[in-house]
């Protein structure tokens, strides 16, 4: 088990290094920050002073090696826009995204597993309704749902605010938009996996012995149906962090997704890199937890 986790950790570390290299050089191709941060009538001498102050006059390769040296000391540099440590700016924003993702995935996971399992067990009309709604939800794009939600619940009905985080109402639309797609996908996977598990011999034996429906669904069948479900839950949790970029931008939510977009537009290179690294590390830890959950559910993986 430890050997397996070590291999996954090394593979993730290699991916993270490649991501840092790629983002560093691509971000430098977006343009000169001095053009954005200085007034339009600034002289070339003023721009050179700005570049010199922030180490932007040096060749790109030299900037990269200097950045790697700072990174080895856990120094992510300073935000050009906020004149604060970049990692501090990112962690503050990531805390908002993490809350949004945790609330959403907690609701999604609980409801999707229950509805998917019941749809597989009961069949009939309940199964058809659950299947249709989950397919529609899985296919609907986040940005379209967000815009429709704002038009209906904020503009037309006036029930919910369009942006910000000042009250509980500000969280309803972002959570609802992020909820729909993973809910639809997880319901579909739970339903398919449960149909296979419910047709197995041990479930038929339990039914023949007169075991009630609830233990059959949630104690016998669901445990053996959870391996593919855990994979999808992990993938959707990671996708939620990426999908938050669109949702946070539309709703003005102060998370790491909106911070990335703002930093790219304003060429705040250190914040871009810090945000990418923090998000990538979060996804790596999530995948590691999925591997541990796999090993707990399936003893074959531990050996």
């Amino acid at each position: 088990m430890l050997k397996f986790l070590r291999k996954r950790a090394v593979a993730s570390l290699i991916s993270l290094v490649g991501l840092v290299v790629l983002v560093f050089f691509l971000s430098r191709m977006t343009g000169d920050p001095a053009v954005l941060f200085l007034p339009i009538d600034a002289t070339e001498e003023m721009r050179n002073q700005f570049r010199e102050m922030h180490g932007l006059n040096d060749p790109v390769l030299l900037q990269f090696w200097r950045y790697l040296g700072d990174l080895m000391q856990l120094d992510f540099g300073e935000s050009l826009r906020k004149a604060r440590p970049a990692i501090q700016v990112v962690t503050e924003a990531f805390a908002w995204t993490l809350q949004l993702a945790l609330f959403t995935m907690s609701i999604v996971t609980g409801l999707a597993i229950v509805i998917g399992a019941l749809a597989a067990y009961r069949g009939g009309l309940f199964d058809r309704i659950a299947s249709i709604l989950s397919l529609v939800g899985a296919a609907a794009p986040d940005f379209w749902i967000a815009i429709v939600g704002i038009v209906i619940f904020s503009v037309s009905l006036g029930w919910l605010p369009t942006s910000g985080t000042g009250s509980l109402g500000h969280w309803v639309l972002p959570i609802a938009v992020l909820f729909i797609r993973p809910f639809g996908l997880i319901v579909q996977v739970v339903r398919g996996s449960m149909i296979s598990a419910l047709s197995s011999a041990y479930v038929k034996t339990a039914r023949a012995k007169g075991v009630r429906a609830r233990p059959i669904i949630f104690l016998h069948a669901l445990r053996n149906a959870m391996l593919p479900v855990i994979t999808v839950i992990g993938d959707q949790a990671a996708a939620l962090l990426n999908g938050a970029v669109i949702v946070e931008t539309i709703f003005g939510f102060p998370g790491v997704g909106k911070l990335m977009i703002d930093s790219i537009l304003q060429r705040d290179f250190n914040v871009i890199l810090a945000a990418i690294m923090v998000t990538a590390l979060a996804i790596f830890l999530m995948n590691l937890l999925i591997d541990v959950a796999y090993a707990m559910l399936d003893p074959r993986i531990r050996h």
Side-chain angles (χ1 to χ4, degrees), residues 207-269:
R207 283 174 170 169
K209 290 181 177 180
V211 179
R212 291 180 301 171
R214 185 177 297 177
I216 290 176
I217 297 172
F218 296 108
L219 294 181
H220 299 287
L222 187 59
R223 179 182 175 88
N224 292 286
M226 280 302 290
L227 281 179
V229 176
I230 287 175
T231 302
V232 175
I233 290 173
D235 289 343
Q236 290 308 303
L240 205 64
L241 295 176
N242 298 325
V245 173
I246 298 171
V247 174
E248 288 175 359
T249 302
I250 292 175
F251 290 106
F253 198 86
V256 74
K258 185 175 185 298
L259 178 66
M260 281 187 196
I261 296 296
D262 293 342
S263 300
I264 291 169
L265 294 175
Q266 296 166 356
R267 298 168 192 166
D268 198 346
F269 300 144

Short mmCIF file of all heavy atoms in Angstrom, two decimals, residues 207-269:
data_model
loop_
_atom_site.label_atom_id
_atom_site.label_comp_id
_atom_site.label_asym_id
_atom_site.label_seq_id
_atom_site.Cartn_x
_atom_site.Cartn_y
_atom_site.Cartn_z
N ARG A 207 -32.35 -11.44 -0.34
CA ARG A 207 -33.79 -11.27 -0.60
C ARG A 207 -34.56 -12.56 -0.28
O ARG A 207 -35.65 -12.52 0.29
CB ARG A 207 -34.01 -10.87 -2.05
CG ARG A 207 -33.69 -9.42 -2.36
CD ARG A 207 -33.80 -9.16 -3.85
NE ARG A 207 -33.74 -7.75 -4.17
CZ ARG A 207 -33.60 -7.26 -5.39
NH1 ARG A 207 -33.51 -8.10 -6.42
NH2 ARG A 207 -33.56 -5.97 -5.61
N ALA A 208 -33.99 -13.69 -0.67
CA ALA A 208 -34.66 -14.98 -0.41
C ALA A 208 -34.81 -15.25 1.08
O ALA A 208 -35.76 -15.89 1.51
CB ALA A 208 -33.86 -16.10 -1.07
N LYS A 209 -33.87 -14.72 1.88
CA LYS A 209 -33.93 -14.90 3.33
C LYS A 209 -34.87 -13.90 4.01
O LYS A 209 -35.06 -13.95 5.23
CB LYS A 209 -32.54 -14.78 3.94
CG LYS A 209 -31.61 -15.94 3.60
CD LYS A 209 -30.26 -15.76 4.26
CE LYS A 209 -29.34 -16.95 4.01
NZ LYS A 209 -28.02 -16.79 4.66
N GLY A 210 -35.43 -13.00 3.23
CA GLY A 210 -36.38 -12.04 3.79
C GLY A 210 -35.75 -10.79 4.38
O GLY A 210 -36.38 -10.09 5.17
N VAL A 211 -34.50 -10.48 4.00
CA VAL A 211 -33.85 -9.27 4.49
C VAL A 211 -34.57 -8.05 3.91
O VAL A 211 -34.96 -8.03 2.74
CB VAL A 211 -32.36 -9.25 4.07
CG1 VAL A 211 -31.68 -7.97 4.56
CG2 VAL A 211 -31.64 -10.47 4.63
N ARG A 212 -34.76 -7.03 4.74
CA ARG A 212 -35.49 -5.84 4.31
C ARG A 212 -34.69 -5.06 3.25
O ARG A 212 -33.50 -5.24 3.09
CB ARG A 212 -35.77 -4.94 5.51
CG ARG A 212 -36.79 -5.53 6.48
CD ARG A 212 -37.03 -4.60 7.64
NE ARG A 212 -35.78 -4.34 8.37
CZ ARG A 212 -35.67 -3.42 9.32
NH1 ARG A 212 -36.71 -2.67 9.65
NH2 ARG A 212 -34.51 -3.25 9.95
N ALA A 213 -35.41 -4.16 2.56
CA ALA A 213 -34.82 -3.44 1.43
C ALA A 213 -33.66 -2.54 1.86
O ALA A 213 -32.62 -2.48 1.18
CB ALA A 213 -35.89 -2.61 0.73
N ARG A 214 -33.81 -1.82 2.98
CA ARG A 214 -32.77 -0.87 3.37
C ARG A 214 -31.42 -1.53 3.62
O ARG A 214 -30.40 -1.05 3.09
CB ARG A 214 -33.22 -0.09 4.61
CG ARG A 214 -32.25 1.01 5.01
CD ARG A 214 -32.75 1.81 6.19
NE ARG A 214 -33.98 2.51 5.87
CZ ARG A 214 -34.66 3.24 6.75
NH1 ARG A 214 -34.26 3.31 8.01
NH2 ARG A 214 -35.77 3.86 6.38
N PRO A 215 -31.32 -2.63 4.41
CA PRO A 215 -30.01 -3.29 4.55
C PRO A 215 -29.45 -3.82 3.24
O PRO A 215 -28.24 -3.79 3.02
CB PRO A 215 -30.31 -4.43 5.54
CG PRO A 215 -31.54 -4.02 6.26
CD PRO A 215 -32.34 -3.23 5.27
N ILE A 216 -30.34 -4.33 2.37
CA ILE A 216 -29.86 -4.84 1.08
C ILE A 216 -29.22 -3.72 0.26
O ILE A 216 -28.14 -3.90 -0.32
CB ILE A 216 -31.02 -5.48 0.28
CG1 ILE A 216 -31.46 -6.79 0.94
CG2 ILE A 216 -30.61 -5.73 -1.17
CD1 ILE A 216 -32.65 -7.43 0.27
N ILE A 217 -29.87 -2.56 0.23
CA ILE A 217 -29.36 -1.45 -0.58
C ILE A 217 -28.10 -0.85 0.02
O ILE A 217 -27.06 -0.75 -0.65
CB ILE A 217 -30.45 -0.35 -0.72
CG1 ILE A 217 -31.67 -0.88 -1.46
CG2 ILE A 217 -29.88 0.86 -1.45
CD1 ILE A 217 -32.84 0.08 -1.47
N PHE A 218 -28.17 -0.45 1.29
CA PHE A 218 -27.11 0.38 1.86
C PHE A 218 -26.02 -0.40 2.58
O PHE A 218 -24.94 0.14 2.83
CB PHE A 218 -27.73 1.41 2.81
CG PHE A 218 -28.64 2.38 2.11
CD1 PHE A 218 -30.02 2.32 2.28
CD2 PHE A 218 -28.13 3.35 1.26
CE1 PHE A 218 -30.86 3.20 1.63
CE2 PHE A 218 -28.97 4.24 0.61
CZ PHE A 218 -30.33 4.17 0.79
N LEU A 219 -26.26 -1.67 2.94
CA LEU A 219 -25.23 -2.45 3.62
C LEU A 219 -24.57 -3.47 2.70
O LEU A 219 -23.36 -3.67 2.74
CB LEU A 219 -25.82 -3.17 4.85
CG LEU A 219 -26.30 -2.27 6.00
CD1 LEU A 219 -26.83 -3.12 7.14
CD2 LEU A 219 -25.17 -1.36 6.48
N HIS A 220 -25.37 -4.13 1.87
CA HIS A 220 -24.83 -5.20 1.03
C HIS A 220 -24.40 -4.68 -0.35
O HIS A 220 -23.23 -4.77 -0.73
CB HIS A 220 -25.86 -6.31 0.88
CG HIS A 220 -26.22 -6.95 2.18
ND1 HIS A 220 -25.37 -7.79 2.87
CD2 HIS A 220 -27.35 -6.87 2.94
CE1 HIS A 220 -25.95 -8.21 3.99
NE2 HIS A 220 -27.15 -7.66 4.05
N ALA A 221 -25.35 -4.15 -1.11
CA ALA A 221 -25.07 -3.80 -2.50
C ALA A 221 -24.20 -2.54 -2.63
O ALA A 221 -23.26 -2.50 -3.43
CB ALA A 221 -26.38 -3.61 -3.25
N LEU A 222 -24.52 -1.52 -1.86
CA LEU A 222 -23.86 -0.22 -2.05
C LEU A 222 -22.37 -0.29 -1.77
O LEU A 222 -21.56 0.33 -2.47
CB LEU A 222 -24.51 0.84 -1.16
CG LEU A 222 -24.04 2.28 -1.39
CD1 LEU A 222 -24.30 2.70 -2.82
CD2 LEU A 222 -24.75 3.23 -0.43
N ARG A 223 -21.96 -1.04 -0.77
CA ARG A 223 -20.53 -1.14 -0.44
C ARG A 223 -19.74 -1.70 -1.63
O ARG A 223 -18.65 -1.20 -1.95
CB ARG A 223 -20.34 -2.03 0.78
CG ARG A 223 -18.87 -2.21 1.17
CD ARG A 223 -18.73 -3.13 2.37
NE ARG A 223 -17.34 -3.39 2.66
CZ ARG A 223 -16.58 -2.65 3.44
NH1 ARG A 223 -17.08 -1.58 4.02
NH2 ARG A 223 -15.31 -2.97 3.67
N ASN A 224 -20.28 -2.70 -2.28
CA ASN A 224 -19.59 -3.30 -3.41
C ASN A 224 -19.73 -2.48 -4.68
O ASN A 224 -18.99 -2.71 -5.65
CB ASN A 224 -20.12 -4.72 -3.66
CG ASN A 224 -19.74 -5.67 -2.53
OD1 ASN A 224 -18.60 -6.09 -2.42
ND2 ASN A 224 -20.70 -5.98 -1.68
N ALA A 225 -20.67 -1.55 -4.69
CA ALA A 225 -20.86 -0.71 -5.87
C ALA A 225 -20.09 0.61 -5.78
O ALA A 225 -20.13 1.42 -6.72
CB ALA A 225 -22.35 -0.40 -6.05
N MET A 226 -19.36 0.84 -4.69
CA MET A 226 -18.80 2.15 -4.43
C MET A 226 -17.48 2.45 -5.15
O MET A 226 -17.10 3.61 -5.27
CB MET A 226 -18.59 2.34 -2.93
CG MET A 226 -19.85 2.71 -2.18
SD MET A 226 -20.63 4.22 -2.79
CE MET A 226 -19.44 5.45 -2.24
N LEU A 227 -16.76 1.43 -5.63
CA LEU A 227 -15.45 1.70 -6.24
C LEU A 227 -15.55 2.66 -7.44
O LEU A 227 -14.86 3.68 -7.47
CB LEU A 227 -14.76 0.40 -6.64
CG LEU A 227 -14.08 -0.36 -5.49
CD1 LEU A 227 -13.46 -1.64 -6.02
CD2 LEU A 227 -13.03 0.49 -4.81
N PRO A 228 -16.38 2.37 -8.44
CA PRO A 228 -16.49 3.35 -9.54
C PRO A 228 -17.10 4.67 -9.09
O PRO A 228 -16.78 5.72 -9.65
CB PRO A 228 -17.39 2.63 -10.56
CG PRO A 228 -18.10 1.59 -9.79
CD PRO A 228 -17.18 1.16 -8.70
N VAL A 229 -17.95 4.63 -8.08
CA VAL A 229 -18.58 5.86 -7.58
C VAL A 229 -17.53 6.77 -6.95
O VAL A 229 -17.55 7.99 -7.15
CB VAL A 229 -19.69 5.51 -6.56
CG1 VAL A 229 -20.29 6.79 -5.97
CG2 VAL A 229 -20.78 4.68 -7.22
N ILE A 230 -16.61 6.20 -6.18
CA ILE A 230 -15.56 7.00 -5.55
C ILE A 230 -14.71 7.69 -6.60
O ILE A 230 -14.32 8.86 -6.46
CB ILE A 230 -14.69 6.11 -4.63
CG1 ILE A 230 -15.48 5.75 -3.37
CG2 ILE A 230 -13.39 6.80 -4.25
CD1 ILE A 230 -14.77 4.79 -2.47
N THR A 231 -14.41 6.98 -7.69
CA THR A 231 -13.63 7.58 -8.77
C THR A 231 -14.33 8.81 -9.34
O THR A 231 -13.72 9.87 -9.52
CB THR A 231 -13.41 6.56 -9.90
OG1 THR A 231 -12.74 5.42 -9.37
CG2 THR A 231 -12.57 7.15 -11.02
N VAL A 232 -15.63 8.67 -9.60
CA VAL A 232 -16.39 9.78 -10.17
C VAL A 232 -16.52 10.93 -9.18
O VAL A 232 -16.41 12.11 -9.55
CB VAL A 232 -17.79 9.29 -10.62
CG1 VAL A 232 -18.63 10.46 -11.11
CG2 VAL A 232 -17.65 8.26 -11.72
N ILE A 233 -16.72 10.61 -7.90
CA ILE A 233 -16.81 11.67 -6.88
C ILE A 233 -15.51 12.46 -6.83
O ILE A 233 -15.50 13.69 -6.77
CB ILE A 233 -17.14 11.06 -5.51
CG1 ILE A 233 -18.58 10.55 -5.49
CG2 ILE A 233 -16.95 12.10 -4.40
CD1 ILE A 233 -18.95 9.79 -4.22
N GLY A 234 -14.37 11.74 -6.86
CA GLY A 234 -13.08 12.43 -6.85
C GLY A 234 -12.88 13.29 -8.08
O GLY A 234 -12.42 14.44 -7.99
N ASP A 235 -13.24 12.75 -9.26
CA ASP A 235 -13.11 13.52 -10.50
C ASP A 235 -13.99 14.77 -10.47
O ASP A 235 -13.57 15.86 -10.90
CB ASP A 235 -13.49 12.65 -11.70
CG ASP A 235 -12.46 11.58 -11.98
OD1 ASP A 235 -11.33 11.70 -11.48
OD2 ASP A 235 -12.79 10.60 -12.69
N GLN A 236 -15.21 14.62 -9.97
CA GLN A 236 -16.12 15.76 -9.93
C GLN A 236 -15.71 16.80 -8.89
O GLN A 236 -15.91 18.00 -9.09
CB GLN A 236 -17.55 15.28 -9.65
CG GLN A 236 -18.18 14.51 -10.78
CD GLN A 236 -18.11 15.27 -12.08
OE1 GLN A 236 -18.59 16.39 -12.18
NE2 GLN A 236 -17.50 14.67 -13.09
N ALA A 237 -15.11 16.34 -7.78
CA ALA A 237 -14.60 17.29 -6.79
C ALA A 237 -13.46 18.11 -7.39
O ALA A 237 -13.36 19.32 -7.17
CB ALA A 237 -14.12 16.54 -5.54
N ALA A 238 -12.58 17.44 -8.16
CA ALA A 238 -11.49 18.17 -8.83
C ALA A 238 -12.06 19.10 -9.91
O ALA A 238 -11.61 20.24 -10.05
CB ALA A 238 -10.52 17.18 -9.45
N ALA A 239 -13.05 18.61 -10.65
CA ALA A 239 -13.67 19.44 -11.69
C ALA A 239 -14.39 20.64 -11.08
O ALA A 239 -14.50 21.70 -11.71
CB ALA A 239 -14.66 18.61 -12.51
N LEU A 240 -14.86 20.47 -9.84
CA LEU A 240 -15.55 21.56 -9.16
C LEU A 240 -14.61 22.73 -8.93
O LEU A 240 -15.01 23.89 -9.04
CB LEU A 240 -16.09 21.06 -7.82
CG LEU A 240 -17.29 21.79 -7.23
CD1 LEU A 240 -18.50 21.66 -8.13
CD2 LEU A 240 -17.61 21.25 -5.85
N LEU A 241 -13.35 22.43 -8.60
CA LEU A 241 -12.36 23.49 -8.42
C LEU A 241 -12.12 24.23 -9.72
O LEU A 241 -11.93 25.44 -9.74
CB LEU A 241 -11.05 22.91 -7.89
CG LEU A 241 -11.11 22.29 -6.48
CD1 LEU A 241 -9.77 21.67 -6.13
CD2 LEU A 241 -11.49 23.33 -5.44
N ASN A 242 -12.12 23.48 -10.84
CA ASN A 242 -11.93 24.12 -12.15
C ASN A 242 -13.19 24.86 -12.59
O ASN A 242 -13.12 25.96 -13.13
CB ASN A 242 -11.55 23.07 -13.20
CG ASN A 242 -10.24 22.39 -12.87
OD1 ASN A 242 -9.33 23.01 -12.34
ND2 ASN A 242 -10.13 21.11 -13.19
N GLY A 243 -14.35 24.22 -12.35
CA GLY A 243 -15.62 24.85 -12.72
C GLY A 243 -15.90 26.11 -11.93
O GLY A 243 -16.64 26.99 -12.38
N ALA A 244 -15.30 26.20 -10.75
CA ALA A 244 -15.51 27.39 -9.91
C ALA A 244 -14.95 28.64 -10.57
O ALA A 244 -15.37 29.75 -10.24
CB ALA A 244 -14.85 27.18 -8.54
N VAL A 245 -14.02 28.48 -11.51
CA VAL A 245 -13.47 29.65 -12.23
C VAL A 245 -14.60 30.40 -12.92
O VAL A 245 -14.71 31.62 -12.82
CB VAL A 245 -12.41 29.20 -13.25
CG1 VAL A 245 -11.97 30.37 -14.11
CG2 VAL A 245 -11.22 28.59 -12.54
N ILE A 246 -15.47 29.66 -13.62
CA ILE A 246 -16.58 30.29 -14.35
C ILE A 246 -17.62 30.82 -13.39
O ILE A 246 -18.06 31.98 -13.49
CB ILE A 246 -17.20 29.27 -15.32
CG1 ILE A 246 -16.18 28.83 -16.36
CG2 ILE A 246 -18.44 29.85 -16.00
CD1 ILE A 246 -16.63 27.68 -17.23
N VAL A 247 -18.02 29.98 -12.44
CA VAL A 247 -19.11 30.35 -11.52
C VAL A 247 -18.71 31.53 -10.64
O VAL A 247 -19.49 32.46 -10.43
CB VAL A 247 -19.52 29.13 -10.67
CG1 VAL A 247 -20.53 29.53 -9.61
CG2 VAL A 247 -20.10 28.04 -11.57
N GLU A 248 -17.49 31.50 -10.12
CA GLU A 248 -17.03 32.60 -9.26
C GLU A 248 -16.93 33.90 -10.03
O GLU A 248 -17.22 34.97 -9.49
CB GLU A 248 -15.68 32.24 -8.64
CG GLU A 248 -15.76 31.17 -7.57
CD GLU A 248 -14.40 30.75 -7.05
OE1 GLU A 248 -13.38 31.27 -7.54
OE2 GLU A 248 -14.35 29.89 -6.16
N THR A 249 -16.54 33.82 -11.29
CA THR A 249 -16.45 35.04 -12.10
C THR A 249 -17.84 35.61 -12.38
O THR A 249 -18.05 36.83 -12.28
CB THR A 249 -15.73 34.74 -13.43
OG1 THR A 249 -14.44 34.21 -13.16
CG2 THR A 249 -15.58 36.00 -14.26
N ILE A 250 -18.79 34.75 -12.70
CA ILE A 250 -20.15 35.22 -12.99
C ILE A 250 -20.81 35.82 -11.77
O ILE A 250 -21.45 36.88 -11.84
CB ILE A 250 -21.00 34.06 -13.54
CG1 ILE A 250 -20.50 33.64 -14.92
CG2 ILE A 250 -22.48 34.46 -13.62
CD1 ILE A 250 -21.21 32.42 -15.49
N PHE A 251 -20.63 35.19 -10.61
CA PHE A 251 -21.30 35.66 -9.39
C PHE A 251 -20.43 36.58 -8.53
O PHE A 251 -20.84 36.95 -7.43
CB PHE A 251 -21.74 34.45 -8.54
CG PHE A 251 -22.85 33.66 -9.15
CD1 PHE A 251 -22.62 32.42 -9.72
CD2 PHE A 251 -24.15 34.16 -9.17
CE1 PHE A 251 -23.65 31.69 -10.29
CE2 PHE A 251 -25.19 33.43 -9.74
CZ PHE A 251 -24.93 32.20 -10.31
N GLY A 252 -19.25 36.95 -9.01
CA GLY A 252 -18.40 37.84 -8.24
C GLY A 252 -17.99 37.24 -6.91
O GLY A 252 -17.81 37.97 -5.92
N PHE A 253 -17.82 35.92 -6.88
CA PHE A 253 -17.47 35.23 -5.64
C PHE A 253 -15.95 35.31 -5.45
O PHE A 253 -15.19 34.97 -6.36
CB PHE A 253 -17.92 33.76 -5.72
CG PHE A 253 -18.01 33.06 -4.41
CD1 PHE A 253 -19.16 33.14 -3.65
CD2 PHE A 253 -16.95 32.33 -3.93
CE1 PHE A 253 -19.26 32.50 -2.43
CE2 PHE A 253 -17.02 31.68 -2.71
CZ PHE A 253 -18.18 31.76 -1.96
N PRO A 254 -15.46 35.74 -4.28
CA PRO A 254 -14.02 36.03 -4.12
C PRO A 254 -13.15 34.79 -3.91
O PRO A 254 -12.36 34.72 -2.97
CB PRO A 254 -14.00 36.92 -2.87
CG PRO A 254 -15.15 36.44 -2.05
CD PRO A 254 -16.22 36.06 -3.04
N GLY A 255 -13.31 33.79 -4.76
CA GLY A 255 -12.54 32.55 -4.62
C GLY A 255 -11.31 32.54 -5.51
O GLY A 255 -11.00 33.52 -6.21
N VAL A 256 -10.62 31.40 -5.51
CA VAL A 256 -9.37 31.31 -6.25
C VAL A 256 -9.62 31.31 -7.76
O VAL A 256 -8.75 31.74 -8.54
CB VAL A 256 -8.58 30.06 -5.81
CG1 VAL A 256 -9.21 28.79 -6.35
CG2 VAL A 256 -7.12 30.14 -6.23
N GLY A 257 -10.79 30.86 -8.20
CA GLY A 257 -11.11 30.89 -9.63
C GLY A 257 -11.17 32.30 -10.16
O GLY A 257 -10.56 32.62 -11.19
N LYS A 258 -11.91 33.15 -9.48
CA LYS A 258 -11.99 34.56 -9.89
C LYS A 258 -10.63 35.23 -9.76
O LYS A 258 -10.25 36.07 -10.59
CB LYS A 258 -13.02 35.30 -9.04
CG LYS A 258 -13.26 36.73 -9.47
CD LYS A 258 -14.38 37.36 -8.65
CE LYS A 258 -14.70 38.76 -9.17
NZ LYS A 258 -13.55 39.68 -9.04
N LEU A 259 -9.87 34.87 -8.72
CA LEU A 259 -8.54 35.44 -8.54
C LEU A 259 -7.63 35.09 -9.72
O LEU A 259 -6.86 35.93 -10.19
CB LEU A 259 -7.92 34.92 -7.24
CG LEU A 259 -6.50 35.40 -6.93
CD1 LEU A 259 -6.49 36.90 -6.68
CD2 LEU A 259 -5.94 34.65 -5.72
N MET A 260 -7.72 33.84 -10.22
CA MET A 260 -6.91 33.44 -11.38
C MET A 260 -7.25 34.30 -12.61
O MET A 260 -6.34 34.78 -13.29
CB MET A 260 -7.17 31.96 -11.72
CG MET A 260 -6.44 30.97 -10.84
SD MET A 260 -6.69 29.30 -11.51
CE MET A 260 -6.19 28.32 -10.11
N ILE A 261 -8.53 34.47 -12.87
CA ILE A 261 -8.94 35.25 -14.04
C ILE A 261 -8.44 36.69 -13.91
O ILE A 261 -7.87 37.26 -14.85
CB ILE A 261 -10.47 35.24 -14.19
CG1 ILE A 261 -10.98 33.82 -14.46
CG2 ILE A 261 -10.92 36.18 -15.29
CD1 ILE A 261 -10.49 33.23 -15.76
N ASP A 262 -8.64 37.30 -12.73
CA ASP A 262 -8.19 38.68 -12.52
C ASP A 262 -6.67 38.79 -12.66
O ASP A 262 -6.16 39.75 -13.25
CB ASP A 262 -8.61 39.17 -11.13
CG ASP A 262 -10.12 39.31 -11.00
OD1 ASP A 262 -10.80 39.37 -12.05
OD2 ASP A 262 -10.62 39.35 -9.86
N SER A 263 -5.95 37.81 -12.13
CA SER A 263 -4.49 37.85 -12.17
C SER A 263 -3.96 37.67 -13.60
O SER A 263 -2.97 38.29 -13.98
CB SER A 263 -3.90 36.77 -11.26
OG SER A 263 -4.31 36.95 -9.93
N ILE A 264 -4.63 36.83 -14.39
CA ILE A 264 -4.23 36.65 -15.80
C ILE A 264 -4.46 37.95 -16.57
O ILE A 264 -3.60 38.40 -17.34
CB ILE A 264 -4.99 35.49 -16.44
CG1 ILE A 264 -4.53 34.15 -15.83
CG2 ILE A 264 -4.80 35.47 -17.95
CD1 ILE A 264 -5.39 32.97 -16.20
N LEU A 265 -5.61 38.58 -16.37
CA LEU A 265 -5.92 39.82 -17.08
C LEU A 265 -4.98 40.94 -16.67
O LEU A 265 -4.65 41.81 -17.48
CB LEU A 265 -7.37 40.22 -16.81
CG LEU A 265 -8.45 39.29 -17.38
CD1 LEU A 265 -9.83 39.75 -16.93
CD2 LEU A 265 -8.37 39.23 -18.90
N GLN A 266 -4.53 40.92 -15.40
CA GLN A 266 -3.66 41.99 -14.90
C GLN A 266 -2.18 41.60 -14.87
O GLN A 266 -1.36 42.33 -14.35
CB GLN A 266 -4.13 42.40 -13.50
CG GLN A 266 -5.52 43.01 -13.52
CD GLN A 266 -6.14 43.12 -12.13
OE1 GLN A 266 -5.55 42.68 -11.15
NE2 GLN A 266 -7.31 43.73 -12.06
N ARG A 267 -1.87 40.40 -15.42
CA ARG A 267 -0.48 39.93 -15.54
C ARG A 267 0.24 39.92 -14.19
O ARG A 267 1.41 40.31 -14.10
CB ARG A 267 0.28 40.79 -16.56
CG ARG A 267 -0.32 40.72 -17.96
CD ARG A 267 0.24 41.75 -18.88
NE ARG A 267 -0.55 41.83 -20.11
CZ ARG A 267 -0.46 42.81 -20.99
NH1 ARG A 267 0.39 43.80 -20.79
NH2 ARG A 267 -1.20 42.82 -22.07
N ASP A 268 -0.46 39.46 -13.18
CA ASP A 268 0.14 39.31 -11.86
C ASP A 268 0.75 37.91 -11.79
O ASP A 268 0.16 36.97 -11.26
CB ASP A 268 -0.93 39.51 -10.78
CG ASP A 268 -0.33 39.82 -9.42
OD1 ASP A 268 0.90 39.62 -9.25
OD2 ASP A 268 -1.07 40.27 -8.52
N PHE A 269 1.97 37.77 -12.34
CA PHE A 269 2.55 36.45 -12.59
C PHE A 269 2.69 35.60 -11.33
O PHE A 269 2.40 34.39 -11.34
CB PHE A 269 3.93 36.61 -13.25
CG PHE A 269 3.90 37.32 -14.57
CD1 PHE A 269 4.92 38.17 -14.94
CD2 PHE A 269 2.84 37.14 -15.44
CE1 PHE A 269 4.89 38.83 -16.16
CE2 PHE A 269 2.80 37.79 -16.66
CZ PHE A 269 3.83 38.65 -17.02
#
